[in-house]
Amino acid sequence: MLRILTAATRRDTSTLFLKRFMSSTSNNNNVGAADFPVQASITSKLMEALEPSALRVINESHMHNVPKNSETHFKVVVVSSKFDDVKALIKRHRIVNSILSEEIATEGPVHALSIVAKTPAQWKEMELTGNGKVVIDKSPNCRGGDGSLPSK
Amino acid sequence: MMSLNMLSRSVTRTALLSSKRLGPVSFFSNNDSHSDFAPQRKTISDDDEALKMIHEHVQTNHIMLYMKGNPSMPMCGFSATVVKILKDQGVDFSSVNVLDYPSIREGVKKYSEWPTIPQLYVGGEFIGGCDIITEMHKTGELADLLKPEKSDDKKE
């Protein structure tokens, strides 16, 4: 069964707890795909291609100098047995990049993509180390951007 | 040995960045050494030119970082993180501010088949962006990769 990783609070996107959910929605606001189409597209593509045992798609756009409700900066945390035979991090990231190639193309909507790609065994080890919860580092703070995106 | 070693690091970097002769590559060193042997670059005129230039950059600069901004003033949190890691590793490295060179910004994505900036190359090979460099730094893999560079004699 797919496990959706959620944050304890809306703001605390750096701490993820393991929970089982019936819904496949992965954002904290419980808003539908129509409101956040890029997030929905990323989620469905990763689910289809990687059949993950755990998945979290985090919209980090609010951390950057872009308008409210933008979908320009994302972090994906994906745990999949399809990575068992892919030891090199760069190869795992390339797999995710190719799944999301439309979104992250130069002309696509996503300006930055942070990836955490683990096997189930690696994730379990992280859980054990963290006493049942896995802490994922937040992405670095924005430095103002390069002016290519509309600002807040 | 050139007496230019006496120049401060900030002046050296400023001189490099403003020098048309030296083009887009700037050299960062923790040791106030001067890269008067930095390769000369032509003005970038088209996409093929950019790819050739990138190939030359990564072949002739052992540690090469394509970033937004420059090491003293990164313009992106991800680029800043990689710069900090390289400084923590104690290595000298070369960098290009892709914000100043749109054809290099796009060219480097084609060259490495990697969609985002920053991009770190070591020994001519693309190593990864911020996430990968951060992970490698934590595991010690980056230190192992950069080890030969740390033990080299300082450039003069």
Side-chain angles (χ1 to χ4, degrees), chain A residues 38-39 42 57-60 71 73-75 110 112-114:
Chain A
V38 178
Q39 182 157 353
I42 290 173
V57 178
I58 305 165
N59 186 344
E60 293 189 318
E71 293 196 283
H73 298 70
F74 283 90
K75 181 189 286 293
V110 176
L113 180 68
S114 173

Side-chain angles (χ1 to χ4, degrees), chain A residues 60 64 73 75 89-90 93-94 97 104-106 111-116 118 137 139-146 148, chain B residues 68 73-78 80-81 99 105-106 109 112-116 126-128 130-132 134-136 138 141:
Chain A
E60 293 189 318
H64 296 271
H73 298 70
K75 181 189 286 293
L89 267 186
I90 191 168
H93 287 221
R94 284 197 187 281
N97 286 343
I104 58 179
T106 301
H111 190 74
L113 180 68
S114 173
I115 300 169
V116 177
K118 300 289 180 187
D137 291 334
S139 289
N141 289 331
C142 182
R143 292 288 185 114
D146 57 22
S148 63
Chain B
K68 294 182 181 178
M73 193 182 298
M75 293 298 291
C76 153
F78 300 102
T81 298
L99 300 181
R105 182 177 181 173
E106 293 313 306
K109 294 176 186 177
S112 58
E113 295 180 326
W114 190 263
T116 51
F126 173 62
I127 304 302
C130 178
D131 290 335
I132 290 172
T134 302
E135 186 71 18
M136 289 174 72
K138 279 185 199 166
E141 201 180 336

Side-chain angles (χ1 to χ4, degrees), chain A residues 22-129:
Chain A
M22 299 303 291
S23 165
S24 63
T25 305
S26 60
N27 68 61
N28 287 328
N29 298 328
N30 290 323
V31 181
D35 298 287
F36 293 99
V38 178
Q39 182 157 353
S41 173
I42 290 173
T43 304
S44 69
K45 284 182 180 179
L46 289 175
M47 281 177 59
E48 186 181 339
L50 295 175
E51 298 174 350
S53 54
L55 173 67
R56 178 71 168 143
V57 178
I58 305 165
N59 186 344
E60 293 189 318
S61 306
H62 64 279
M63 292 167 60
H64 296 271
N65 188 23
V66 292
K68 195 177 170 186
N69 295 328
S70 287
E71 293 196 283
T72 51
H73 298 70
F74 283 90
K75 181 189 286 293
V76 299
V77 182
V78 55
V79 183
S80 170
S81 57
K82 290 191 189 272
F83 294 136
D84 286 347
D85 293 331
V86 185
K87 304 293 179 202
L89 267 186
I90 191 168
K91 286 185 181 164
R92 291 184 188 178
H93 287 221
R94 284 197 187 281
I95 289 170
V96 175
N97 286 343
S98 79
I99 294 166
L100 303 177
S101 58
E102 278 183 35
E103 283 78 9
I104 58 179
T106 301
E107 59 276 10
V110 176
H111 190 74
L113 180 68
S114 173
I115 300 169
V116 177
K118 300 289 180 187
T119 63
Q122 287 175 322
W123 190 257
K124 194 164 182 61
E125 201 179 316
M126 290 165 78
E127 282 183 290
L128 291 170
T129 307

Side-chain angles (χ1 to χ4, degrees), chain B residues 135-148:
Chain B
E135 186 71 18
M136 289 174 72
H137 180 58
K138 279 185 199 166
T139 61
E141 201 180 336
L142 185 65
D144 290 340
L145 178 69
L146 299 176
K147 206 181 291 182

Side-chain angles (χ1 to χ4, degrees), chain B residues 67-107:
Chain B
M67 62 178 290
K68 294 182 181 178
N70 58 62
S72 61
M73 193 182 298
M75 293 298 291
C76 153
F78 300 102
S79 291
T81 298
V82 175
V83 166
K84 182 175 186 313
I85 287 172
L86 291 175
K87 288 182 181 178
D88 287 348
Q89 291 282 342
V91 294
D92 298 340
F93 61 95
S94 301
S95 69
V96 169
N97 179 0
V98 300
L99 300 181
D100 287 341
Y101 298 95
S103 55
I104 290 191
R105 182 177 181 173
E106 293 313 306

